[in-house]
Amino acid sequence: MLFDMDGTLVDSEKVWDIALYELATHAGGTLSESARLAMIGSAMATTMRILRDDLGQPDRDEAADVAWLEHRVEELFADGLIWRPGALELLLAVRAAGLPTALVTSTGRRLVEVALNTLGRENFDVIVCGDEVSAPKPDPAPYRRAADLLGVKIAECVAIEDSLTGMTSALASGAAVLAIPAELELPPTTGVHLRDTLVGVDPAFLGTLFTEIPA
């Protein structure tokens, strides 16, 4: 089992909303809604590029902005994160069934370590962070690395995602894909199973994803 984090397991995109809008204000500008939506599921470098373009400040110091943003998000993560509907129940059921489990996120290790206080480190055999891969989502590298670290074939894995960027990464990796839209609607996509929430999803249901190939 391969789980995305932000927007899939926990409702942390709203935390990123707060920090990103505050960063734009700190920079003397205002982040547009379209730019914020374009950032969802993206790696930090992409998010920072979108921010600079949106603010019309191409020469901003990326390292300084990343440090400011991570510090603010770390503060907000430390207050605890809210589970997405059905996510905790599914994660616990997967663990009880003895299925190898990985967290595969675009978020960097520093913030993931804070988020794990909510998620539970014991719930994951492997953790793949956005700053620890050769190429970030939408590249398939994060999911393929997670499968390699788990010692399983990617074709035997189910990846659960909430964004188009993550869904693209998971699908290209060769995993079976279950998508649960959070902040954005997701288009029907061949090979991707769409549901409104994780409520009612259990290991038995996940097993059916290998035999049902949606058009």
Side-chain angles (χ1 to χ4, degrees):
M1 278 302 309
L2 312 176
F3 288 96
D4 173 54
M5 185 177 79
D6 296 295
T8 299
L9 287 176
V10 287
D11 197 11
S12 48
E13 288 295 351
K14 292 182 175 59
V15 172
W16 284 100
D17 281 347
I18 295 169
L20 284 162
Y21 282 115
E22 288 182 354
L23 174 57
T25 300
H26 173 75
T30 302
L31 182 66
S32 70
E33 182 179 359
S34 60
R36 171 62 189 116
L37 293 176
M39 295 171 177
I40 293 175
S42 297
M44 183 65 78
T46 301
T47 293
M48 291 296 98
R49 176 182 55 76
I50 294 170
L51 175 73
R52 291 192 298 272
D53 290 346
D54 192 53
L55 297 179
Q57 300 179 22
D59 297 325
R60 288 195 60 78
D61 184 336
E62 180 171 318
D65 281 345
V66 169
W68 193 99
L69 181 64
E70 288 188 337
H71 176 72
R72 182 65 178 120
V73 173
E74 185 175 11
E75 290 179 334
L76 296 168
F77 273 21
D79 290 336
L81 295 166
I82 298 172
W83 288 92
R84 293 274 290 152
L88 177 57
E89 292 80 1
L90 174 59
L91 182 57
L92 294 178
V94 164
R95 297 303 285 170
L99 298 176
T101 306
L103 184 67
V104 187
T105 175
S106 293
T107 298
R109 171 65 66 170
R110 171 183 169 183
L111 296 178
V112 170
E113 287 297 322
V114 181
L116 286 170
N117 292 330
T118 296
L119 297 173
R121 289 168 177 77
E122 71 280 2
N123 288 325
F124 304 97
D125 299 299
V126 165
I127 298 171
V128 176
C129 300
D131 55 355
E132 299 174 344
V133 291
S134 58
K137 302 175 187 180
D139 193 276
Y143 280 107
R144 289 176 177 167
R145 175 167 173 74
D148 287 344
L149 291 173
L150 288 174
V152 298
K153 296 179 180 177
I154 189 66
E156 298 173 347
C157 296
V158 175
I160 303 182
E161 274 285 353
D162 73 297
S163 70
L164 182 59
T165 297
M167 188 175 80
T168 301
S169 170
L171 189 61
S173 75
V177 183
L178 176 61
I180 312 296
E183 303 298 320
L184 296 173
E185 290 187 13
L186 296 176
T189 302
T190 299
V192 175
H193 304 258
L194 285 171
R195 283 179 63 101
D196 292 334
T197 76
L198 290 175
V199 174
V201 175
D202 58 18
F205 173 83
L206 296 175
T208 69
L209 303 187
F210 296 102
T211 56
E212 299 176 7
I213 305 299

